[in-house]
Amino acid sequence: MKVQTIMAELERKHPGENEYLQAVQEVLESIEEVYNLHPEFEKAKIIERMVEPDRIFTFRVTWVDDRGEIQTNLGYRIQFNSAIGPYKGGIRFHKAVNPSMLKFLGFEQTFKNALTTLPMGGAKGGSDFDPVGKSDAEIMRFCQAFMWELWNNIGPDTDVPAGDVGVGGREIGYMYGMYKKLAREYNTGVLTGKGMTWGGSLIRPEATGFGALYFVEHMLAKAGKSIQGATVAISGFGNVAWGAATKATELGAKVIAISGPDGVVYNPEGMNQQKLDYMLVLRASNQNVVAPFAEKFPDATFIPGKKAWSIKCDIALPCAFQNELNGDDAAELLANGTWCAAEVSNMGCTPEAIAAFQSAGILFAPGKAVNAGGVATSGLEMTQNAMHISWSAAEVDQKLHYIMESIHAACVKYGTQEDGYINYVKGANIAGFMKVAQAMLEQGIV
Ligand code: GLU
């Protein structure tokens, strides 16, 4: 395989799909060496097949807003790869959603899901519907209209959507209600991230953030460091940021920054329960601003227009959106002494930022390893649904711990360089790739 040749061909076929091309390029560069040691992969054209989704559904979603006006959005579901299990991955509602964004997310999901140790293929879906400023009734009508189109293409053993940016427990509830009405079957396991009274798993809401901190703990332990007393800057204030802030605080770190599109909140005293609870209130308000946090808690200061990376910290945790930490941000963090960065958002760092962290020799780990605890716990939700039982929070948390430890071990196995530096990007990509490639090979040319 020649990365340049494959990339040139992809750019020709999918011009301007920048996020998708970026995600593919990163994986291909990581696996090139290992891939070329396996002529059977080359013969079966594994890479050429793996970089294209199995299929894409695109549909119109029409709904009526509170003023009685008719609105039309675009909806998508991208079933990327089903070599190791049914399609699995979240749904994103955000005004910038387009096929490139969902293809990058579906591609990443395929490798991430392979890392979880559970049998799940990769998928992603979403809409350019913008939840900001929408009423609860509008969100409900949109979710219902979205599911009206989607329901026939998903199922507990076919494709299992979940939440992502702009989609949480409320949206999953509305989508599930409509699914059930249309399918005339309960099919509990058709969506994950459900409410606790109707098939949801304990710890699922916390899982992405908690899992990320378990991963960071392992990464730090391997490097002989501790999270105790470390300062942590987090971007975002949604579900993932909340879970990460909660666990980081519990482990003895000080979360000194959270941020939103409007700016950063500098929080020098760290979090407490009241502040963590208020993050949930902010997210549920649908306003997408973080400034009210500093109005409510006078020990915190709001700095408009600034990113979380402008705050001096030991550990940087991007928890919001792709490419939210660029080369300049990385340079600022490094100049301020940051010694660990872990992507909790999908592809949170640009390639320039990753290169800066790695050449500075600091700890860096990619989203597909760090944030895999979310989808892994979705996998545990599916298992409980299939068995018609529910596990205790302690049981789920213990399984999540084990999974994050396994992912960390896989990264170390495939990513340790001759000089001893652990390239977690390479490790995660190779580990995920080997599993999916082997499955594709054994299943023939399909
Ligand atoms: N959206 C999350 C992710 O990026 C969770 C997906 C899921 O639970 O299926 O992994």
Side-chain angles (χ1 to χ4, degrees), residues 34 42-43 132 184 345 381:
V34 173
E42 181 83 38
K43 190 158 170 262
V132 177
R184 304 205 174 194
S345 47
E381 183 172 329

Side-chain angles (χ1 to χ4, degrees), residues 53-74:
D54 288 354
R55 65 192 66 81
I56 303 181
F57 299 108
T58 306
F59 46 92
R60 171 175 57 77
V61 185
T62 297
W63 56 286
V64 181
D65 70 17
D66 285 349
R67 292 166 303 162
E69 284 191 19
I70 296 164
Q71 302 286 347
T72 292
N73 289 100
L74 290 172

Side-chain angles (χ1 to χ4, degrees), residues 32-326:
E32 186 174 19
E33 217 178 288
V34 173
Y35 189 84
N36 289 335
L37 296 173
H38 289 271
E40 71 277 20
F41 290 162
E42 181 83 38
K43 190 158 170 262
K45 293 273 189 283
I46 294 288
I47 277 299
E48 288 82 344
R49 291 157 60 199
M50 201 187 268
V51 297
E52 293 287 354
D54 288 354
R55 65 192 66 81
I56 303 181
F57 299 108
T58 306
F59 46 92
R60 171 175 57 77
V61 185
T62 297
W63 56 286
V64 181
D65 70 17
D66 285 349
R67 292 166 303 162
E69 284 191 19
I70 296 164
Q71 302 286 347
T72 292
N73 289 100
L74 290 172
Y76 309 92
R77 184 70 180 166
I78 301 195
Q79 297 182 336
F80 217 102
N81 188 298
S82 65
I84 67 164
Y87 300 107
K88 178 82 194 92
I91 290 181
R92 177 173 288 195
F93 291 166
H94 189 281
K95 60 178 189 287
V97 160
N98 60 25
S100 167
M101 196 191 294
L102 297 179
K103 278 165 72 179
F104 118 65
L105 288 162
F107 181 72
E108 293 267 305
Q109 198 81 44
T110 301
F111 296 87
K112 183 197 312 195
N113 293 3
L115 287 172
T116 64
T117 73
L118 304 174
M120 299 182 289
K124 208 81 190 191
S127 172
D128 60 356
F129 170 75
D130 182 6
V132 177
K134 299 292 187 299
S135 71
D136 195 73
E138 288 177 321
I139 298 225
M140 180 177 76
R141 288 196 295 275
F142 178 78
C143 288
Q144 291 174 336
F146 184 85
M147 189 49 84
W148 207 342
E149 271 297 325
L150 186 64
W151 77 277
N152 215 9
N153 294 314
I154 59 175
D157 294 310
T158 315
D159 181 355
V160 183
D164 195 80
V165 174
V167 177
R170 170 182 49 185
E171 291 76 11
I172 293 293
Y174 293 147
M175 284 194 263
Y176 186 74
M178 194 58 169
Y179 172 85
K180 182 164 64 72
K181 192 175 174 74
L182 294 165
R184 304 205 174 194
E185 271 175 327
Y186 204 88
N187 277 344
T188 319
V190 72
L191 293 172
T192 60
K194 296 180 293 291
M196 297 307 152
T197 57
W198 47 281
S201 174
L202 291 165
I203 305 293
R204 177 62 189 90
E206 294 86 351
T208 308
F210 279 24
L213 266 295
Y214 298 155
F215 189 95
V216 168
E217 268 194 302
H218 283 293
M219 189 162 62
L220 265 49
K222 179 87 188 151
K225 290 177 181 286
S226 160
I227 195 165
Q228 187 81 33
T231 51
V232 178
I234 285 179
S235 62
F237 60 92
N239 170 264
V240 171
W242 165 78
T246 303
K247 189 51 88 177
T249 306
E250 195 186 305
L251 295 174
K254 200 183 253 196
V255 176
I256 54 159
I258 56 169
S259 68
D262 52 334
V264 62
V265 167
Y266 175 50
N267 181 47
E269 304 300 318
M271 290 289 174
N272 55 36
Q273 196 55 49
Q274 232 193 327
K275 288 179 175 176
L276 291 165
D277 290 346
Y278 188 67
M279 286 175 79
L280 296 175
V281 176
L282 268 185
R283 144 78 172 114
S285 76
N286 281 353
Q287 297 308 313
N288 209 19
V289 285
V290 78
F293 189 96
E295 286 157 33
K296 187 153 175 73
F297 302 103
D299 59 319
T301 317
F302 176 64
I303 312 165
K306 286 278 182 195
K307 292 187 183 182
W309 324 130
S310 61
I311 307 290
K312 180 180 163 56
C313 64
D314 296 320
I315 301 174
L317 299 180
C319 290
F321 216 58
Q322 70 267 7
N323 292 329
E324 55 173 318
L325 196 163
N326 62 30

Side-chain angles (χ1 to χ4, degrees), residues 7-18 20-21 100 103:
M7 286 312 299
E9 184 60 9
L10 274 188
E11 277 162 36
R12 190 187 61 77
K13 282 197 229 168
H14 310 288
E17 295 198 353
N18 296 334
Y20 164 60
L21 295 169
S100 167
K103 278 165 72 179

